[in-house]
């Protein structure tokens, strides 16, 4: 440890002596991008090797049983790891990061650097119907947070490096550097100046180069457009945008409903068993939902819808296109259930890739319906498959720009830009009308902890109000005589407000020094006047759980300079407007300087 500290000290001294702040941030952004890329490579390879191990010939001969048993085994292993080794809660990577940005100054617990790297591949490798993008972001941002603290960077730089890690994870996962940068800016609402785009670019490039170095030119989603957008199809795309919006709302409702249902079970083991059985049954009936689902997407893009659907336990006429359409719609319907149940049962993963799977199946089914209605219409099934992914991303994740640029990048061009923009806009607007926040941000927004593009609100939200509570006010009791109050409180206090409490520390009101000034030197009043006769109600009270925005509003409406803080009915202390404004100014400088 001493050797490590000496080395770090030498690096920091060398940095302060020879490298400017901006240059060092560039270096750290490259390092963070590399680390995010490594994390993504580890996730991919670990998952791949687990799937490879579980695909030996003996197991292939019992494929039906595999789809039922393996997810149960995977979730059991993850639960054991979390309970016996980690002993920590592993949240969704993006939600956890958003909370760290808004309430923890970008400080992410160190265990997030490795927790999801271990548990997510086991969840997905054994068939859990979730994705790896969220865990990749979780690991990358935790590494970025640790790196920023290691090199003593300020809060604003830490936020920037977290954005760099997010861009890097996205770039490495899909080999889509522009989409990675857009994702970081759109989802994390980072207040990035133009000059700060350089670190994002460097991190994104570093991550994608790392991915190419370890994984070669293979891509998870790769497709070249063969059929271009035709203007006479614009009406179909507009209608399809509404459908993707409807399914986006369905996705969110199912997710929150299933999570709420499983919270009824107090014991983790009960949730594990019940959820595992549900997942096993779904995957047994619809094996295409096993794991992440890239095979389904790529087969649909190639026109192999039979391969995409997989070997279901039911025999069906493969030549009957309407049965194929029904099965694709069922995949869309059950993917949300399978994913949400995987999370509720204790699995670790992300929601990004499941949205792509649902969108691809929905888009392909929609195109098949148009082509087989018998009215002579023909649209590109591959194009609608791609644009379905855009619509679901825009709706479910509330990230329309990411959706547009990701699909544009993986197709190698912008020939579909018009329908991409149209469907993303309609889907996002439709979903936003019914669900104000994405799955990532819904709970945070409810608690008033969501970072946004509003700088003032962000600064208020990042402030720790509990550090502003002052407790050097002398309390008095309602039955106390004026003489006792002067002797025990006024004479020993530097404040001009005295909270009135009872014997159980319950807040009753206040006494102002100005109110007793006319009688405080009249000794005849000392034994005849009690606090109860001179106390009055506070102009407003601050609840201990109030947000900073609510507190600011109370100061504005009451016109007071000091307001009491109570927790339930219990007196806690006071907050002064001057201290609150000073803290706001300091926090603003901290996050913007």
């Amino acid at each position: 440890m001493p050797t490590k500290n000496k080395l770090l000290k030498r690096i920091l001294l060398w940095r302060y002596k020879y490298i400017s702040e901006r240059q060092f941030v560039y270096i750290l952004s490259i390092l963070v991008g590399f680390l995010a890329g490594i994390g993504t490579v580890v996730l991919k390879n670990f998952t791949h090797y687990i799937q490879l191990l579980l695909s030996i010939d003996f197991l292939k001969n019992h494929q039906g049983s595999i789809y039922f048993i393996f997810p149960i085994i995977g979730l059991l292993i993850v639960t054991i790891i979390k309970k016996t080794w980690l002993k920590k809660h592993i949240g969704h990577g993006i939600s956890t990061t958003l909370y760290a940005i808004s309430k923890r100054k970008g400080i992410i617990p160190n265990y997030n650097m490795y927790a999801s790297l271990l548990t997510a591949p086991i969840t997905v490798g054994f068939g859990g119907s979730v994705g790896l993008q969220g865990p990749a972001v979780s690991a990358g941002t935790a590494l970025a947070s640790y790196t920023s603290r290691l090199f003593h960077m300020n809060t604003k730089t830490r936020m920037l490096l977290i954005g760099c890690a997010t861009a890097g994870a996205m770039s490495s996962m899909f080999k889509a550097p522009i989409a990675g940068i857009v994702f970081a800016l759109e989802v994390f609402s980072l207040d990035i100046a133009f000059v700060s785009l350089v670190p994002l670019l460097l991190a994104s490039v570093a991550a994608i180069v790392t991915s190419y170095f370890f994984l070669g030119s293979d891509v998870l989603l790769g497709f070249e457009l063969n059929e271009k957008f035709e203007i006479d199809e614009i009406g179909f795309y507009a209608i399809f945008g509404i459908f993707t919006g409807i399914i986006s709302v369905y996705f969110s409702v199912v997710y929150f409903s299933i999570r709420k249902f499983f919270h009824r079970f107090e014991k983790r083991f009960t949730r594990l068993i019940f959820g595992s059985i549900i997942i096993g049954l779904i995957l047994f009936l619809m094996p295409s939902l096993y794991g992440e689902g890239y095979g389904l997407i790529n087969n649909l893009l190639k026109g192999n819808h039979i391969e995409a659907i997989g070997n279901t336990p039911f025999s069906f006429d493969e030549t009957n296109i309407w049965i194929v359409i029904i099965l694709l719609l069922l995949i869309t319907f059950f993917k949300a259930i399978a994913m949400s149940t995987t999370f509720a049962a204790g699995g670790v993963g992300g929601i990004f890739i499941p949205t792509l799977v649902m969108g691809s199946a929905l888009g392909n089914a929609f195109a098949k319906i148009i082509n087989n209605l018998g009215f002579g219409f023909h649209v590109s099934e591959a194009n609608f498959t791609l644009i379905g992914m855009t619509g679901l991303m825009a709706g479910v994740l509330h990230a329309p720009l990411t959706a547009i640029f990701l699909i544009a990048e993986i197709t190698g061009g912008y020939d579909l830009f018009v329908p991409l923009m149209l469907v993303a806009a309609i889907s996002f607007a439709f979903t936003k009308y019914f669900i104000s926040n994405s799955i990532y941000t819904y709970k945070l927004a409810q608690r008033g902890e969501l970072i946004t593009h509003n700088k003032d609100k962000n600064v208020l939200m990042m402030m720790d109000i509990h550090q502003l509570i002052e407790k050097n006010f002398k309390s008095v009791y309602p039955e106390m005589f004026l003489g006792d109050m002067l002797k025990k409180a006024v004479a020993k206090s530097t404040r001009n407000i005295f909270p009135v409490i009872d014997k159980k520390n319950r807040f009753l009101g206040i006494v102002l020094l100005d109110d007793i000034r006319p009688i405080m030197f009249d000794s005849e009043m000392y034994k005849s006047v009690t606090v109860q006769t001179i106390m009055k109600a506070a102009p407003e009270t601050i609840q201990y759980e109030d947000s900073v925005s609510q507190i600011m509003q109370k100061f504005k409406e009451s016109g007071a300079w000091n307001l009491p803080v109570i927790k339930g009915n219990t007196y806690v202390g006071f907050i002064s407007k001057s201290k609150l404004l000073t803290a706001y100014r300091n926090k603003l400088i901290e996050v913007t300087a």
Side-chain angles (χ1 to χ4, degrees):
M1 186 64 70
T3 304
K4 176 185 174 182
N5 290 336
K6 287 181 180 179
L7 178 60
L8 179 61
K9 187 175 180 180
R10 287 181 180 179
I11 293 173
L12 291 173
L13 289 173
W14 176 81
R15 168 244 161 159
Y16 286 124
K17 189 174 181 179
Y18 296 105
I19 299 181
S20 68
E21 182 77 12
R22 180 178 296 181
Q23 290 171 333
F24 193 61
V25 171
Y26 291 166
I27 293 172
L28 289 183
S29 66
I30 295 172
L31 174 62
V32 165
F34 169 75
L35 293 174
I38 289 292
T40 305
V41 169
V42 169
L43 276 171
K44 286 182 179 179
N45 283 339
F46 191 12
T47 305
H48 171 73
Y49 288 127
I50 290 174
Q51 292 173 335
L52 196 64
L53 180 65
L54 300 180
S55 62
I56 58 178
D57 292 338
F58 171 75
L59 294 174
K60 284 183 178 179
N61 295 330
H62 302 81
Q63 201 170 49
S65 302
I66 285 172
Y67 289 127
F68 181 79
I69 296 173
F70 276 177
I72 299 175
I73 296 173
L75 289 171
L76 180 61
I77 294 172
V78 169
T79 301
I80 292 172
I81 290 173
K82 289 196 293 186
K83 190 172 182 179
T84 61
W85 179 47
L86 292 174
K87 298 180 181 178
K88 305 281 187 180
H89 172 68
I90 306 175
H92 288 309
I94 294 172
S95 298
T96 302
T97 305
L98 285 167
Y99 176 78
I101 291 174
S102 64
K103 304 303 290 184
R104 293 175 55 89
K105 300 181 180 180
I107 296 175
I108 301 172
N110 290 341
Y111 74 87
N112 282 288
M113 292 188 289
Y114 54 83
S116 57
L117 293 181
L118 176 62
T119 54
I122 295 174
T123 301
V124 176
F126 277 84
S129 197
V130 291
L132 293 177
Q133 178 62 28
V137 171
S138 179
T141 54
L143 286 164
S145 177
Y146 176 77
T147 301
S148 69
R149 285 178 279 135
L150 185 66
F151 291 103
H152 303 170
M153 307 308 292
N154 59 29
T155 301
K156 184 181 180 183
T157 303
R158 187 180 304 124
M159 305 291 192
L160 177 59
L161 292 178
I162 286 174
C164 289
T166 304
M170 183 82 167
S171 301
S172 181
M173 181 69 72
F174 295 102
K175 289 187 169 66
I178 298 175
I181 295 172
V182 173
F183 182 71
L185 296 174
E186 191 170 31
V187 173
F188 289 112
S189 302
L190 297 176
D191 182 26
I192 302 294
F194 182 76
V195 70
S196 300
L197 286 174
V198 176
L200 289 172
L201 290 167
L202 292 174
S204 191
V205 170
I208 199 171
V209 168
T210 303
S211 181
Y212 273 111
F213 181 80
F214 286 100
L215 301 177
S217 58
D218 292 339
V219 292
L220 292 174
L221 295 174
F223 180 75
E224 292 185 6
L225 294 175
N226 295 317
E227 299 179 78
K228 295 184 178 181
F229 162 66
E230 301 292 341
I231 191 62
D232 56 359
E233 299 174 354
I234 197 73
F236 292 124
Y237 285 115
I239 296 171
F240 184 56
I242 297 174
F243 275 94
T244 57
I246 293 171
I247 298 300
S248 296
V249 173
Y250 161 77
F251 186 105
S252 299
V253 170
V254 165
Y255 175 81
F256 289 118
S257 298
I258 289 178
R259 294 297 294 268
K260 184 178 180 181
F261 173 78
F262 272 82
H263 278 309
R264 296 178 180 177
F265 304 116
E266 295 183 1
K267 294 184 178 180
R268 183 184 299 177
F269 186 74
T270 305
R271 294 197 294 266
L272 169 66
I273 296 301
F274 189 62
S276 297
I277 292 173
I278 294 175
I279 297 166
L281 287 172
I282 292 175
L283 298 184
F284 175 74
L285 297 174
M286 309 200 73
S288 57
L289 299 181
Y290 188 93
E292 287 189 280
Y294 284 118
L296 182 144
I297 298 174
N298 287 318
N299 279 317
L300 289 178
L301 289 173
K302 294 174 184 176
N304 300 329
H305 54 254
I306 301 301
E307 289 291 327
I309 293 170
N311 297 319
T312 65
F314 309 106
S315 59
F316 64 93
D317 184 2
E318 297 178 356
T319 62
N320 189 328
I321 195 64
W322 291 104
I323 294 179
V324 171
I325 290 170
I326 291 172
L327 289 172
L328 288 173
L329 292 175
L330 288 174
I331 288 172
T332 304
F333 179 82
F334 280 104
K335 181 64 177 179
I337 298 174
M339 181 210 73
S340 303
T341 307
T342 301
F343 284 131
V348 178
I351 66 172
F352 191 97
I353 295 168
T355 62
L356 300 182
V357 174
M358 288 181 65
S360 65
L362 178 66
N364 197 271
F366 186 85
K368 281 180 166 59
I369 291 172
I370 293 173
N371 292 338
N372 291 278
L373 281 175
F375 296 126
F377 299 119
H378 178 79
V379 296
S380 170
E381 293 181 4
N383 289 356
F384 268 87
T385 301
L386 290 167
I387 292 173
M389 291 189 277
T390 300
L392 264 291
M393 273 191 286
V396 173
L397 309 181
H398 287 209
L401 294 178
T402 300
I404 293 167
F405 281 99
L406 177 62
I407 301 304
E409 280 193 278
I410 66 175
T411 58
Y414 295 88
D415 292 332
L416 289 180
F417 222 57
V418 172
L420 285 174
M421 293 173 67
L422 178 64
V423 172
I426 294 174
S427 180
F428 174 69
F430 185 94
T431 310
K432 187 79 172 176
Y433 180 81
F434 292 98
I435 300 177
S436 57
N437 294 96
S438 71
I439 286 175
Y440 294 143
T441 62
Y442 188 81
K443 293 295 183 182
L444 294 173
Q446 280 188 324
R447 300 196 301 264
E449 298 170 347
L450 177 62
I451 199 85
T452 69
H453 287 289
N454 187 315
K455 186 185 297 183
D456 287 332
K457 286 186 178 180
N458 292 343
V459 173
L460 291 174
M461 186 168 44
M462 291 178 186
M463 292 170 60
D464 186 357
I465 201 64
H466 304 126
Q467 295 180 355
L468 302 179
I469 298 176
E470 300 176 73
K471 299 184 178 182
N472 61 340
F473 289 77
K474 294 294 182 180
S475 301
V476 294
Y477 301 99
E479 64 273 11
M480 183 182 285
F481 286 109
L482 175 61
D484 292 332
M485 176 183 172
L486 293 174
K487 182 179 179 181
K488 297 178 180 180
V490 177
K492 296 180 179 180
S493 176
T494 58
R495 316 305 294 254
N496 61 358
I497 300 179
F498 303 91
V500 183
I501 61 174
D502 63 13
K503 298 298 183 181
K504 294 182 178 180
N505 201 38
R506 290 179 294 195
F507 181 77
L508 303 176
I510 60 172
V511 174
L512 299 178
L513 187 61
D514 287 344
D515 293 338
I516 63 173
R517 201 181 304 276
I519 60 173
M520 64 186 295
F521 298 109
D522 188 349
S523 59
E524 294 182 1
M525 298 284 190
Y526 288 180
K527 291 296 183 180
S528 60
V529 176
T530 62
V531 168
Q532 188 170 10
T533 62
I534 55 177
M535 63 180 281
K536 61 182 179 181
E540 183 61 89
T541 57
I542 296 171
Q543 292 293 332
Y544 192 75
E545 300 80 12
D546 282 350
S547 66
V548 184
S549 296
Q550 291 173 317
I551 294 171
M552 285 282 199
Q553 186 64 27
K554 288 182 177 181
F555 272 111
K556 180 180 178 181
E557 292 175 354
S558 66
W561 281 95
N562 293 278
L563 288 177
V565 180
I566 59 175
K567 191 172 185 179
N569 292 322
T570 304
Y571 167 73
V572 178
F574 274 78
I575 292 179
S576 69
K577 183 189 289 187
S578 58
K579 190 169 184 177
L580 181 63
L581 294 175
T582 300
Y584 170 81
R585 180 178 177 275
N586 291 338
K587 178 62 69 173
L588 182 63
I589 293 172
E590 180 184 334
V591 300
T592 60

